[in-house]
Amino acid sequence: MKITTLKPFNAKELEQIGLEWHTDPDNTQYISNELVHISESEAEAYYEACNELYDMYVEAAQHVIDNNLFYDLDIPNSLVDMIVDSFENDVNWHIYGRFDLAGGLDGTPIKLLEFNADTPTMLYESAAVQWALLKANGFDENKQFNNIYDAISENFKRLITLSDDVSDFEEKYQGWKVLFSSIRGSSEEERTVRFLQDMANNAGLITNFCYVDETNLSPTDGVFYNDENYEFWFKFIPWENIAIDEPELALILQDIMRNEKAILLNPAYTALFQSKRILKILWDLYPNHPLLLESSYEPLNKKQVQKRSFGREGANVAILDAQGRPINSKEGEYGNHKAVFQEFYPLNSNNGSFYQANVFFAYESCGLGFRKGGEIMDNYSKFVSHIID
């Protein structure tokens, strides 16, 4: 790997551009001063890989629905009808997600680790902060694989056109409104949601923001805020959390969907993509595919990684040897979720640190960033910018 050093933004400068979560609990800086150099061909390979992977995920989701494999994916029963309805109705457009990948640099093959399809973070860092860092350091800020802002803006237009072509957006648009909501108390989640709102504004939609507890949800009338009705609601709450922690909310949202009173974003079917147990379905459908790692619901007879279906930030992840003995592991709160076992594949590495590629997807692959940390990436991993040489 070729890595050089940037002059970093200080805390005040990061806050001025809207990134308040700049310091980790151990008092280290979240935004790394490193710059990963990649080639044009490496950027193109990441782009092509995730376009292909997304199509494979759609096929895998169809397979799950056709064969009623929701239990295998650890999907709560209260989500099943919403998942099926949203997948089969074209009005439910997937706005954005993020692929986590190993490899792709120094001639190493790209391998899928997982897909964060519902409520992925790192959006603001990837779309805005790394671009600003290049510009501030005197580089050509366009020398990145980073079209995230425009790609998601265009995808918001597809909520209206319901097609690949958005040229007739203004002709079809009837003033429909999108309400964006996040939970109180997380500056990172709120910034992510407000950034998405800005992209929707850029697309020409009418938008508003409120916290989830300020939203009025009616099974018969839809989504309201301050007595104003909204045709779309983007809620930054994972679908599985709604089903497990807020079952009454799940029922209300199901009724809103059935009564066609609002369209919910990201759609419920992204819970299928989000479940790491879909990795086994992908392997069943595409055995030995060059972008995939062998995955199973039972331990493998090789070095492997054990994950939980809906785990996050490395929690409850363990690297196991061929006999199933732990080599490295992280504790967490997701131990009650079902496990999946994925063949171990080394991350890009440099001087004892590991680098995981992250590619955002919005109708197509649209932007790259890196996380730096240990072999198991957790909430102490750092965000690393890139440049195309």
Side-chain angles (χ1 to χ4, degrees):
M1 291 180 65
K2 180 183 176 183
I3 297 176
T4 56
T5 302
L6 294 168
K7 180 180 180 296
F9 291 134
N10 60 38
K12 183 177 180 181
E13 289 169 327
L14 287 169
E15 289 169 8
Q16 286 174 339
I17 62 172
L19 192 131
E20 298 176 2
W21 59 100
H22 48 68
T23 304
D24 285 329
D26 60 358
N27 225 23
T28 57
Q29 294 302 302
Y30 165 55
I31 302 295
S32 171
N33 66 346
E34 293 183 344
L35 181 66
V36 175
H37 293 249
I38 69 171
S39 67
E40 191 73 51
S41 62
E42 288 169 336
E44 183 68 22
Y46 282 127
Y47 171 82
E48 295 291 349
C50 293
N51 287 343
E52 183 173 0
L53 285 168
Y54 192 83
D55 289 342
M56 292 161 64
Y57 263 87
V58 172
E59 289 298 319
Q62 186 69 67
H63 180 80
V64 171
I65 292 170
D66 290 345
N67 294 279
N68 194 25
L69 301 178
F70 302 101
Y71 178 81
D72 288 353
L73 263 63
D74 210 14
I75 300 293
N77 288 334
S78 59
L79 292 183
V80 171
D81 288 345
M82 282 189 283
I83 286 171
V84 175
D85 291 348
S86 65
F87 193 78
E88 294 179 347
N89 190 331
D90 289 341
V91 303
N92 296 283
W93 205 269
H94 187 192
I95 295 300
Y96 83 119
R98 191 195 77 226
F99 285 100
D100 292 349
L101 309 165
L105 303 180
D106 300 327
T108 58
I110 296 170
K111 298 290 184 180
L112 170 71
L113 298 178
E114 57 197 55
F115 186 27
N116 301 278
D118 184 9
T119 55
T121 53
M122 286 178 58
L123 179 67
Y124 193 64
E125 305 91 295
S126 301
V129 175
Q130 66 171 337
W131 180 90
L133 272 170
L134 278 198
K135 187 172 184 180
N137 278 267
F139 291 102
D140 181 353
E141 64 271 21
N142 296 309
K143 286 197 168 184
Q144 284 187 339
F145 171 22
N146 185 1
N147 188 40
I148 297 171
Y149 188 94
D150 289 339
I152 295 180
S153 293
E154 290 294 287
N155 223 15
F156 274 116
K157 292 182 181 180
R158 294 187 181 97
L159 293 176
I160 308 303
T161 65
L162 296 177
S163 71
D164 303 341
D165 185 6
V166 297
S167 61
D168 58 350
F169 167 79
E170 292 184 5
E171 177 185 333
K172 290 185 175 181
Y173 183 51
Q174 316 234 339
W176 289 347
K177 302 180 290 295
V178 187
L179 181 63
F180 290 82
S181 299
S182 69
I183 301 291
R184 293 180 189 269
S186 171
S187 59
E188 180 180 5
E189 292 186 8
E190 182 173 337
R191 169 54 62 183
T192 299
V193 173
R194 288 186 182 274
F195 194 41
L196 287 163
Q197 180 190 3
D198 188 68
M199 295 173 189
N201 288 337
N202 183 61
L205 295 167
I206 299 170
T207 74
N208 205 346
F209 172 89
C210 72
Y211 296 109
V212 170
D213 60 272
E214 296 176 311
T215 312
N216 184 9
L217 302 171
S218 166
T220 54
D221 297 315
V223 177
F224 292 83
Y225 172 57
N226 285 344
D227 296 325
E228 187 169 8
N229 180 237
Y230 290 83
E231 289 82 7
F232 300 93
W233 187 41
F234 188 100
K235 81 301 159 282
F236 205 76
I237 318 171
W239 277 105
E240 70 273 11
N241 287 11
I242 292 174
I244 295 168
D245 301 331
E246 301 284 349
E248 292 182 3
L249 174 58
L251 291 174
I252 293 171
L253 294 179
Q254 180 173 285
D255 286 340
I256 288 173
M257 283 184 60
R258 283 178 174 170
N259 295 327
E260 297 183 348
K261 293 301 180 181
I263 295 170
L264 307 173
L265 306 171
N266 273 313
Y269 65 75
T270 57
L272 297 181
F273 299 165
Q274 188 81 18
S275 172
K276 295 174 181 58
R277 283 176 62 97
I278 202 172
L279 295 167
K280 189 262 187 186
I281 305 295
L282 287 166
W283 186 256
D284 289 346
L285 296 177
Y286 305 96
N288 300 306
H289 190 285
L291 292 173
L292 300 180
L293 297 166
E294 182 181 357
S295 298
S296 173
Y297 297 153
E298 303 297 330
L300 303 168
N301 294 319
K302 59 181 66 177
K303 190 175 181 181
Q304 61 201 289
V305 179
Q306 180 182 9
K307 307 177 182 182
R308 298 293 169 171
S309 56
F310 291 106
R312 292 172 178 268
E313 296 183 324
N316 301 103
V317 171
I319 299 174
L320 311 175
D321 66 15
Q323 288 72 46
R325 295 173 301 212
I327 300 170
N328 188 3
S329 63
K330 299 282 184 181
E331 298 299 319
E333 58 184 286
Y334 303 101
N336 291 330
H337 288 286
K338 294 179 180 178
V340 63
F341 298 86
Q342 184 182 50
E343 177 185 355
F344 176 85
Y345 188 81
L347 298 171
N348 303 307
S349 62
N350 184 69
N351 291 331
S353 293
F354 297 90
Y355 297 77
Q356 178 181 286
N358 310 108
V359 175
F360 278 90
F361 188 94
Y363 181 72
E364 64 180 349
S365 306
C366 58
L368 171 69
F370 288 91
R371 276 191 292 178
K372 173 187 176 183
E375 280 193 301
I376 300 175
M377 295 289 166
D378 58 19
N379 59 352
Y380 286 93
S381 63
K382 310 305 179 186
F383 179 82
V384 183
S385 308
H386 78 283
I387 189 170
I388 300 174
D389 287 334

